[in-house]
């Protein structure tokens, strides 16, 4: 059985609780970001200038995003 990495969005301070929306994508996070095909620590199409930021008290290194 293969494992699928959790989307980085779940550890992002911009995620709207209980949804798949955020400050960058208020109408829905693109599938390619949710599927971890895109590293949203860098700007991405239509992200309104908002990229991944770890939840308070965490660092990107702790989240094993590389």
């Amino acid at each position: 059985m293969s494992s699928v990495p959790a989307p980085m969005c779940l550890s992002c301070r911009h995620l709207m609780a209980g949804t798949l929306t955020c400050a960058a994508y208020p109408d829905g996070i693109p599938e390619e970001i949710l599927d971890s095909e895109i590293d949203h620590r860098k700007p991405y199409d239509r992200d309104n200038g908002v990229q991944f930021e770890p939840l308070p008290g965490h660092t990107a290194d702790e989240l094993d995003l590389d």
Side-chain angles (χ1 to χ4, degrees), residues 25 30 32-33 38-40 42-51:
Y25 296 103
E32 55 270 30
I33 293 176
I38 298 298
D39 181 348
H40 198 225
K42 299 175 182 142
Y44 189 63
D45 190 38
R46 297 170 285 135
D47 68 11
N48 297 303
V50 178
Q51 289 84 46

Side-chain angles (χ1 to χ4, degrees), residues 1-65:
M1 180 162 110
S2 66
S3 64
V4 176
M8 67 187 329
C9 305
L10 297 179
S11 301
C12 183
R13 70 181 321 138
H14 301 294
L15 184 67
M16 308 287 181
T19 73
L20 291 178
T21 64
C22 64
Y25 296 103
D27 295 324
I29 300 169
E31 191 171 322
E32 55 270 30
I33 293 176
L34 291 173
D35 289 345
S36 301
E37 295 171 15
I38 298 298
D39 181 348
H40 198 225
R41 290 176 288 178
K42 299 175 182 142
Y44 189 63
D45 190 38
R46 297 170 285 135
D47 68 11
N48 297 303
V50 178
Q51 289 84 46
F52 171 84
E53 289 182 56
L55 290 168
H58 296 276
T59 66
D61 292 337
E62 291 173 325
L63 300 172
D64 193 25
L65 299 175

